[in-house]
Amino acid sequence: MAKLRQNHSRGSAGGGMAVRVGLFTAILGGLFWGFNQFMGGNTDAAQNEDRVVIAPGDGPKAPKAPELDERIFPTSTTGQIIKHAHYALSYSEEHEQAEWVAYELFKKQLYPPFVERTNNFRPDPKVRKASASTRDYSRTGYDRGHLVPAGDMAFSEQSMSETFFMSNISPQIRNFNSGIWRELEENTRNWVKKFKHLYIVTGPVLTKGVREQIGNNKVSVPDAFYKVLLDVDEPEYKGIAFVIPNEVSDQPLSKYATSIDEVEQLTGIDFFPNLLNEEDQDYLERTFDMELWPASNKKFDLRLEKWNKQK
């Protein structure tokens, strides 16, 4: 129980009663607060053991997060790796977007309090020449689709804001972005909550030709996008990848599940070359089992009934 500092000062005779009553009330309130804290009376904390820890100096609602682990970086075919607070990317000047973004996500980062979505799309000052601009997307019919979802970085003002750098944005068909891509992002957060920690790499498929280029900066419109997920925590190591066409889909996520090896062959990128030993890497990247990654039927139904039809 928290100790209370007692007030030994005395008031005048005429105000003694008021002082004593006020002091008595304050002591009772303090005792109640201390007892409540001791017994777990904070409803949010008691009901949610995974409530994030607030870290000073990184926004009013930022949790503690580990520093960016460079062992998770895939190989870069462009030679331009850019590091932000909680994710990194390999930028392609040719296509004016990232060829991959990489980060790790922890269960504790996915519980409130969350920072507000910023929507402050802007060029990335760390790109050597210049990244795409928001004007490149104007009147094109394409969404500014996130590679690192803003929702994955809602634990920190800085990290949330940095997802709106145009280096993290890629042109997506509107109801792909709000449909199956959203479903995959939300399922990924569910899997992080289930498995407690995942390594995540996401990017556009830029090696098989692109649909067109948009804007003055000639931003390439990918035909498909991939997401690679790796769980190397006990008790069961596992990996999986998804390659999804940049279009509206009424198929389940399982239709697009594949091995990490397949994505490596498709993109020419080597994933997790510095994270795993050769034997583990070979096994985890050539095998996958969708049953180990249960997707939400409710989200699939929402996509078919609502998300695919949004205007």
Side-chain angles (χ1 to χ4, degrees):
M1 184 177 295
K3 285 188 177 181
L4 299 176
R5 179 178 297 176
Q6 295 186 11
N7 184 352
H8 294 287
S9 63
R10 300 178 63 91
S12 64
M17 180 62 72
V19 170
R20 286 195 293 273
V21 170
L23 180 59
F24 180 73
T25 301
I27 292 173
L28 279 181
L31 289 171
F32 177 78
W33 179 88
F35 179 80
N36 196 39
Q37 292 294 101
F38 179 79
M39 295 300 293
N42 184 321
T43 304
D44 291 338
Q47 291 182 350
N48 182 6
E49 294 179 355
D50 295 299
R51 192 172 183 84
V52 295
V53 178
I54 306 304
D58 191 17
K61 297 181 180 180
K64 292 180 179 178
E67 294 183 2
L68 197 60
D69 186 350
E70 296 188 10
R71 295 179 306 155
I72 71 175
F73 294 180
T75 56
S76 171
T77 71
T78 68
Q80 186 175 179
I81 293 180
I82 294 170
K83 303 171 190 175
H84 292 300
H86 292 121
Y87 76 92
L89 62 92
S90 173
Y91 195 75
S92 171
E93 298 278 6
E94 177 185 358
H95 298 287
E96 294 295 0
Q97 61 200 277
E99 65 171 348
W100 55 254
V101 300
Y103 59 105
E104 55 185 322
L105 195 59
F106 294 84
K107 178 178 180 180
K108 288 187 177 182
Q109 293 170 326
L110 295 177
Y111 288 91
F114 300 124
V115 300
E116 293 184 5
R117 184 181 173 96
T118 61
N119 288 318
N120 57 336
F121 292 95
R122 63 202 187 279
D124 188 340
K126 293 188 176 183
V127 173
R128 287 175 191 161
K129 295 182 180 179
S131 66
S133 73
T134 58
R135 292 188 300 274
D136 291 318
Y137 287 73
S138 296
R139 301 179 182 177
T140 63
Y142 292 106
D143 273 8
R144 295 169 294 188
H146 280 70
L147 298 176
V148 179
D152 285 9
M153 297 287 156
F155 57 84
S156 160
E157 286 183 349
Q158 178 184 0
S159 295
M160 162 71 82
S161 178
E162 288 179 344
T163 68
F164 289 89
F165 283 137
M166 295 303 294
S167 56
N168 182 49
I169 303 301
S170 187
Q172 295 182 340
I173 296 292
R174 178 151 301 169
N175 283 21
F176 165 83
N177 183 23
S178 63
I180 193 168
W181 195 243
R182 172 182 176 178
E183 182 186 356
L184 178 57
E185 290 176 341
E186 293 193 6
N187 272 284
T188 297
R189 287 190 282 272
N190 284 350
W191 293 326
V192 172
K193 291 176 181 178
K194 180 179 178 66
F195 305 132
K196 299 183 180 179
H197 173 220
L198 288 180
Y199 295 107
I200 303 170
V201 182
T202 304
V205 177
L206 299 169
T207 53
K208 301 299 182 181
V210 297
R211 294 186 179 184
E212 59 176 313
Q213 293 182 316
I214 59 173
N216 292 334
N217 288 308
K218 299 188 181 303
V219 181
S220 297
V221 180
D223 266 336
F225 290 85
Y226 68 85
K227 189 178 290 288
V228 171
L229 305 171
L230 187 67
D231 175 15
V232 293
D233 294 329
E234 297 290 353
E236 188 170 27
Y237 291 10
K238 53 188 172 293
I240 198 169
F242 298 85
V243 178
I244 307 178
N246 188 10
E247 59 190 35
V248 182
S249 173
D250 60 2
Q251 298 298 313
L253 281 175
S254 58
K255 176 179 174 61
Y256 305 104
T258 187
S259 68
I260 298 174
D261 271 348
E262 288 292 330
V263 184
E264 289 185 334
Q265 294 176 25
L266 181 64
T267 62
I269 297 168
D270 184 9
F271 298 100
F272 310 116
N274 302 311
L275 185 65
L276 305 167
N277 63 50
E278 188 173 343
E279 182 179 355
D280 287 341
Q281 184 178 10
D282 177 66
Y283 173 75
L284 288 170
E285 292 187 352
R286 66 181 168 80
T287 62
F288 73 96
D289 184 352
M290 190 67 200
E291 290 187 2
L292 298 177
W293 304 82
S296 166
N297 291 328
K298 181 179 180 180
K299 294 185 189 301
F300 174 63
D301 291 339
L302 273 172
R303 168 159 58 94
L304 297 186
E305 297 169 6
K306 183 178 180 181
W307 296 348
N308 279 354
K309 301 173 183 178
Q310 291 179 351
K311 295 182 180 180

